[in-house]
Amino acid sequence: MEKTVVTIAALMLGLAGHAFAAEYTKGEVTKVDAKQKKITIRHDPLANLDMPAMTMVFVVADDAMLEKVKPGQAIEFVADRVNGRITVVEIK
């Protein structure tokens, strides 16, 4: 029983650690579409999504992100799958 509890605790810590380890990717904003709540980014490879470098359109997790960026701006961001859509979840 004790061994099982330790194993479960170790697995939970491993999963939690992964969830909190956001990996930022470098990119450049090429377009901001506030009406559609989308941002187009030319980005380096997205390791967590197994995607090569490219230019693509993302939805944003928070509309306020769109007010902080403009075309031509260099950014670092985190993208992940949210409700089946590739979404920008953080920008710095």
Side-chain angles (χ1 to χ4, degrees), residues 25-87:
T25 301
K26 291 182 181 183
E28 179 185 337
V29 176
T30 61
K31 182 178 177 184
V32 176
D33 186 343
K35 186 175 180 181
Q36 295 293 319
K37 301 178 183 178
K38 294 180 180 179
I39 184 172
T40 304
I41 303 171
R42 181 181 310 118
H43 62 80
D44 289 349
L46 296 169
N48 64 319
L49 297 172
D50 196 28
M51 296 182 109
M54 67 177 84
T55 300
M56 64 183 288
V57 179
F58 297 87
V59 294
V60 292
D62 181 1
D63 298 350
M65 291 178 187
L66 298 174
E67 298 170 8
K68 298 177 181 177
V69 296
K70 61 185 178 193
Q73 181 178 350
I75 60 169
E76 290 186 33
F77 70 103
V78 177
D80 208 347
R81 292 195 198 293
V82 177
N83 297 325
R85 299 177 80 183
I86 298 176
T87 304

